[in-house]
Amino acid sequence: MVRLLLVVAMVLALACGGARAARLDLDAVNQAQFSEGEPKDVDPMLLKAQILLDRARFSPGLIDGRLSDNFAKAVAAFQAANGLPSDGKLTRETWDKLSATFIGPVLTKYEVTAKDVRGPFTRHIPARMERMAYLKRLGYRNARERLAERFHVSEQVLRMLNPKTGFRKADVSLMVPDVGRGDPPPTVVASVEIDKVSRQVRALDPSGKPVAVYPASIGSEEKPAPSGSAEVRRVVHNPTYRYDPKFAFKGVKTKRPFTIAKGPNNPVGSVWIDLSIESYGIHGSPDPGKIGTTFSHGCIRLTNWDAEDLAAMVKPGTKVEFKDETAQEGQAQ
């Protein structure tokens, strides 16, 4: 009898788990309302909040429907900008303010195009930088990765939203985050602030008010980010990456320079914002899930989509200010 009860309990638990996963659909996310508690799994309310933050340019980084440090920092930045206590906790008051920023559905339907699935793709990308130099292009690995990055969402959540889709065919309708980011970005911003304590990059208007806040990986103990002031020299879209042996990156064994081809999975991603400090820049990343949780090789690393958003706001001469940190935690990358 006890064994039978245990089996029934396990079946019910699995059924509840399946029901929870099934809730991640168009209506569940678009109609999600604030609720107390800290969900342990991908949650429709958190997914909706992340999409709203992304649209408002208080970027949570990778949209994954989970609680994280990047999400808490995005919430805190949004709270500070709206005169709320900036503790990084999603309260009902914060939810109400955030929900008011966009009244449309946060999930929408997208028709996959032939270009989305055609490539060209780079299906096998080696881990070592020296070996990357042999590739002709550092493209997306597949259509799923390309679509996930286009809509700022994790591949896991994209699959959960579209469980019966193989991401290989055109003319298929997908459910995706509507990441229109509200109003177009300002033509230019007055300055950029790189906060090494909070691991955030802020685009500021002339009054010093943030118009965009992004999570960032900023330097490491081995290769610290610079201090003081700098300015933007130029913006390079779809850059190549040239490795100089004087960088002496951990894990790179060759003593010869090499160049890695362009592409979104290039070590500096899809855009390079060149700074007036030699060899330093703000750039994209081939691994958006690690932004803000690991360190960099000295530069300022954002998700590709956040780097491109910032690149649209800056111009040669835009001032960049580094806010020094007092301590670092985490692991070098």
Side-chain angles (χ1 to χ4, degrees):
M1 183 64 178
V2 173
R3 180 177 295 177
L4 178 61
L5 290 173
L6 286 173
V7 170
V8 171
M10 290 175 66
V11 170
L12 288 173
L14 288 171
C16 290
R20 183 179 180 84
R23 289 181 57 235
L24 201 67
D25 57 27
L26 197 71
D27 290 337
V29 178
N30 285 337
Q31 298 173 17
Q33 298 298 318
F34 177 78
S35 61
E36 300 284 354
E38 295 188 356
K40 303 296 183 183
D41 204 351
V42 177
D43 182 80
M45 180 193 69
L46 292 179
L47 187 62
K48 183 175 182 178
Q50 289 177 342
I51 297 169
L52 289 170
L53 286 165
D54 186 278
R55 289 184 61 90
R57 290 191 171 82
F58 293 91
S59 174
L62 189 66
I63 295 172
D64 61 3
R66 297 177 182 272
L67 291 173
S68 66
D69 287 343
N70 283 345
F71 175 66
K73 288 189 287 188
V75 170
F78 177 83
Q79 289 169 327
N82 286 273
L84 301 173
S86 55
D87 58 6
K89 296 179 180 179
L90 187 61
T91 62
R92 181 171 294 280
E93 188 177 13
T94 303
W95 173 268
D96 290 344
K97 283 272 190 182
L98 186 57
S99 298
T101 62
F102 179 64
I103 60 174
V106 297
L107 285 186
T108 188
K109 291 186 178 180
Y110 173 75
E111 295 293 326
V112 178
T113 68
K115 183 178 180 181
D116 291 328
V117 298
R118 186 170 59 239
F121 298 118
T122 308
R123 300 192 182 279
H124 302 289
I125 299 177
R128 291 181 58 180
M129 294 176 69
E130 303 99 305
R131 294 178 180 174
M132 291 181 191
Y134 292 102
L135 299 178
K136 295 182 179 180
R137 178 175 170 78
L138 275 291
Y140 293 113
R141 292 175 176 84
N142 49 50
R144 185 179 65 241
E145 184 184 38
R146 166 182 275 170
L147 289 163
E149 180 151 308
R150 175 171 181 168
F151 297 105
H152 310 177
V153 67
S154 71
E155 292 186 52
Q156 178 197 17
V157 168
L158 188 62
R159 287 195 301 268
M160 292 174 71
L161 289 170
N162 304 279
K164 297 181 180 180
T165 302
F167 304 98
R168 294 187 179 92
K169 297 180 180 179
D171 301 321
V172 173
S173 181
L174 298 182
M175 285 191 298
V176 297
D178 184 351
V179 289
R181 290 199 168 182
D183 297 329
T187 304
V188 293
V189 295
S191 62
V192 174
E193 183 177 77
I194 298 171
D195 190 332
K196 292 188 277 186
V197 177
S198 67
R199 298 188 197 176
Q200 289 181 310
V201 171
R202 305 181 187 98
L204 308 177
D205 69 11
S207 69
K209 179 182 177 180
V211 296
V213 182
Y214 313 107
S217 293
I218 306 173
S220 65
E221 291 184 1
E222 179 193 9
K223 300 290 181 182
S227 299
S229 300
E231 62 181 42
V232 172
R233 291 201 303 188
R234 59 178 179 152
V235 173
V236 181
H237 293 278
N238 212 17
T240 58
Y241 175 80
R242 181 169 174 78
Y243 178 78
D244 189 326
K246 72 180 182 181
F247 296 160
F249 289 168
K250 185 177 181 180
V252 180
K253 298 181 180 180
T254 183
K255 301 300 181 183
R256 296 182 178 180
F258 57 84
T259 298
I260 297 176
K262 62 183 67 174
N265 277 313
N266 177 293
V268 293
S270 61
V271 66
W272 169 267
I273 301 173
D274 195 34
L275 300 182
S276 55
I277 303 173
E278 187 63 35
S279 78
Y280 284 95
I282 305 169
H283 62 82
S285 169
D287 198 341
K290 291 184 177 180
I291 296 301
T293 65
T294 58
F295 291 126
S296 73
H297 287 131
C299 289
I300 301 85
R301 186 181 301 158
L302 310 177
T303 65
N304 277 339
W305 55 87
D306 285 341
E308 289 166 4
D309 196 50
L310 180 63
M313 301 185 196
V314 299
K315 64 178 183 178
T318 299
K319 300 299 181 185
V320 178
E321 188 72 29
F322 288 86
K323 292 185 65 176
D324 282 316
E325 61 188 334
T326 56
Q328 287 182 325
E329 296 178 357
Q331 65 181 50
Q333 181 181 332

